[in-house]
Amino acid sequence: MSNHSEVASPDVRVIHPLPGTSDEARRQQVAILGNPNSGKSTLFNRLTGLRQKVGNYSGVTVEKKVGQCTLPSGRRVDLLDLPGTYSLHPGSPDEMIVRDVLFGLNPETPSPDLIVFVVDATQLDRHLFLAMQLIEVGRPVVLALNMCDAAEAEGIHIDEMALEQSLGVPVVSISAAKGVGIGTLRRLMDRDVEPSNARFRQRQPAVERVLQSVSARLPRRNLLSDSGRLDLAFALMLDDGEDDALARYAPLDVQDDLRILRARLDDILPQWRTDDATSIYEAIEGVMTHAVSRTGVSRADQRRDRIDRILTHRVWGPMFFVVLMGAIFQSVFEWAAPAMDLIDRGISSLGEFVGSHMPPGPLESLIVDGIIAGVGATIIFVPQIAVLFLLMSIMEATGYMARAAFIMDRIMGRVGLSGRAFIPLLSSFACAIPGIMAARTIDNRRDRITTIMIAPFMSCSARLPVYALLIGAFVPKTRIGILTLPGITLFSMYFLGIAAAILVAWALKRTALRGGRPLYVMELPPYRMPSWRSVLITVRDRCLLFLRKAGTVILAVSIVLWFLASHPGLGAEGVRFEKRIETAERAGNETRAAALRSEMAGAKLRNSFAGRSGRLLEPLIEPLGFDWKIGISLITSFAAREVMVSTMATVFNLDDSGEGFLSLREKLREAKDPKTGEAAYTPLTAVSLMVFFVLACQCMSTVAIVRRETNTWRWPIAMILMMNSLAWIASFAVFQGGRLLGLG
Amino acid sequence: MIDPNGWVTLDELTPGGDGVVRGLDGAAGIVRRLMDLGLVPGTVVRHVRCAPLGDPLEILVRGTHLSIRRSEAGKVHVEPL
Ligand SMILES: Nc1nc2c(ncn2[C@@H]2O[C@H](COP(=O)(O)OP(=O)(O)O)[C@@H](O)[C@H]2O)c(=O)[nH]1
Ligand SMILES: [Mg+2]
């Protein structure tokens, strides 16, 4: 990169392509930057094809997408899809990332060698604001006027040459969605683009002097131009102390002086914080009259207005929203079901196949019940994640997502959340895993974490078999008007989860996640046809991300749980069991052999580490009305809640077939407390246990995904403690309260 | 509150009505942000509609439709057109 200070005129300097290099360390970094919805991801997908990977910026939940792109000269560059931003003065963690990367404040992500700035050509006016801020930073920039197809349809004509002249950077018209102008853009990216030295901002002399003095004292460690350093100085002046990256960058003595300088400027020039925004918009007006002309009226605006009149109408808007949400919810449940069944059956036949080709023993058990079952426990989530993200990215790409948030903001605001929290919470009724992943669309960090923390309270589909078993066994089918008692019980469980979620959200917003309600500004983009390619890439990325990051944890925990539930085995007793089974088989008595096998499995589980922990747990859960048998199933259900049912069946020496399930109800009703000789489980126990299942954090996959999405162990651990103590207290209250009232 | 200049706040504009931004008040960070989004003095802004439950509002500024809450719109002083 040649020295920018040699450039005397704002002309575009285009120099020969750099020689190709295969050296990874020297590979050029190109970043795509722009306002939200300008088409950055569409362009990114266009330029990188399938060679991309998704990660996180360290310490924050902001997604980092990196891909590779081969330029016409054969040179390969790394392409970075930065989060959308409105301004280089950040208002959210996403925007902070953009600023940090651009100014070289992020130690892991080097400042890009070239920035492709993406503009929605139909909204040039407002998008030029960020463009001008960016150009003044003094890094090499190529301006891509995206959506030229839409601009043409609306009769917007942009004079590229005039724009190049005013901005001092190369300009190219493209359509990322239609693939227009991509070749030209690639060729431009191949050149050694010089930074522009055009300046748009006007600062009062007093402000300029302060910034000069501050910037002279900042460490000179990056490739910034002098005006870029002035920007950093300005950012430091504006900062209210919340900005860690800035604080790390500025020496302590400078930070002390900043406070004094700020106060002095406040005295003499109350407008100093906003003057530059005003002057940039003045510069934009000049450029717009110079370079843009419009013919005809915009049909897009009329169309948008017609659609919005219905979709955000006082009556039709919410109605459409409710129907759509119902459909989404149903789809996550229903569309995913066949694929989930298939995975389920595939995994068990794989297990049977492997089991029948291996000698029985600990290794076979590890592979079949540990590894294969663990893999199954992981990929079983993929269909729901895929369906939910398919629907959500279509909503996002068409522009409806913003309307949904617009409609729901008021209601979600009651619990201190924004409208965007609705869909993640709704999907959590199917499964908390995709729901928690969906919380990524919430841009405010506190809102996102609150949403993640309350999502597992929504009764997911894995709790249904548990409710079904307990309601079937203990709740009489009494009719109350048009309702039945089992129905009311089931509904109450769903309701209890929602109530707990509201309570916890309210509490979190007043304690750990306190903070002023952030400024909420959301763009309502025009309605557009989604780019199916981008939609499918998003779906694929989500599934892969889940498998890679959460899947490994789930697999590991599955194996640990398998070990706990199958070891140390039965020893001599096991040998006796096997002899008896053999005798029964030789006598041709299959029923007897099967009964013995179930009995042996039961004995093995009761004797296992999980079984022993169930007994250890008994004093803790006795006040809730649970015995050690339930204790065991609470431990094993950490693999997935529905495992509770099959564990109970095993504990009661039943096989877990359909018939076994029916007789499990009987067994539960008939089970006697060995000490008192009375019924071990009553309807009150059942209610207490269901309440526990509503509130407790019993799902390792949830823990794994929360760890992954929040990037720390702090939140998943807090979640386990919070949910389980809440569950214990509530079940305690139900059981002991019920007993006081003489209910069981 | 009646303003001597006949100015109102953005949320008080009748839906569908236009106004010219005359000034902003409130915390420095929020004012800065609203101005970054184009609400600088002299800009024409339209209150397009409000959400079904009355909050937030949809506004049109420099060709972009934005949704902002009433509480923030109340910080933007406009001269109705
Ligand atoms: N008509 C048109 N639509 C586009 C073009 N590029 C992107 N889009 C659409 O604009 C929307 C936002 O694009 P996206 O890439 O997600 O924007 P990002 O937020 O900047 O990453 C999507 O619906 C895209 O399909 C284009 O060149 N022409
Ligand atoms: Mg994007």
Side-chain angles (χ1 to χ4, degrees), chain A residues 260-272:
Chain A
I260 304 167
L261 292 170
R262 221 176 274 146
R264 196 185 301 156
L265 278 184
D266 277 339
D267 275 347
I268 55 171
L269 270 176
Q271 308 279 321
W272 68 273

Side-chain angles (χ1 to χ4, degrees), chain A residues 215-404:
Chain A
S215 86
R217 293 164 63 192
L218 294 178
R220 292 196 162 270
R221 63 150 191 236
N222 40 38
L223 304 154
L224 292 181
S225 67
D226 292 341
S227 93
R229 297 166 61 77
L230 287 186
D231 273 335
L232 263 185
F234 189 54
L236 277 165
M237 288 289 291
L238 288 180
D239 178 35
D240 44 11
E242 285 210 351
D243 205 325
D244 296 340
L246 278 180
R248 257 180 277 121
Y249 177 68
L252 281 175
D253 57 320
V254 175
Q255 291 185 37
D256 287 338
D257 290 353
L258 282 173
R259 246 162 267 140
I260 304 167
L261 292 170
R262 221 176 274 146
R264 196 185 301 156
L265 278 184
D266 277 339
D267 275 347
I268 55 171
L269 270 176
Q271 308 279 321
W272 68 273
R273 286 168 215 263
T274 52
D275 269 348
D276 71 314
T278 318
S279 64
I280 291 183
Y281 275 111
E282 273 162 21
I284 291 175
E285 253 139 60
V287 173
M288 289 295 287
T289 45
H290 195 54
V292 183
S293 57
R294 253 194 121 116
T295 51
V297 282
S298 158
R299 282 193 310 275
D301 276 354
Q302 291 171 354
R303 192 184 61 195
R304 154 199 191 105
D305 200 53
R306 267 204 306 276
I307 301 176
D308 268 340
R309 257 192 220 156
I310 298 168
L311 293 188
T312 59
H313 184 269
R314 264 191 27 235
V315 178
W316 309 129
M319 214 183 252
F320 178 83
F321 176 77
V322 167
V323 171
L324 185 72
M325 290 301 119
I328 288 185
F329 183 56
Q330 197 64 20
S331 315
V332 174
F333 254 121
E334 296 290 326
W335 292 2
M340 291 170 79
D341 282 348
L342 207 67
I343 292 172
D344 222 14
R345 263 183 281 141
I347 289 293
S348 29
S349 10
L350 180 67
E352 272 164 32
F353 175 81
V354 173
S356 63
H357 284 76
M358 278 184 76
L363 183 65
E364 179 245 21
S365 173
L366 167 67
I367 292 178
V368 175
D369 302 324
I371 298 176
I372 296 182
V375 170
T378 307
I379 58 179
I380 197 78
F381 291 110
V382 170
Q384 284 184 333
I385 292 174
V387 170
L388 179 65
F389 278 97
L390 176 71
L391 299 172
M392 280 190 47
S393 46
I394 293 175
M395 283 175 63
E396 193 82 62
T398 50
Y400 184 73
M401 191 66 103
R403 272 70 176 188

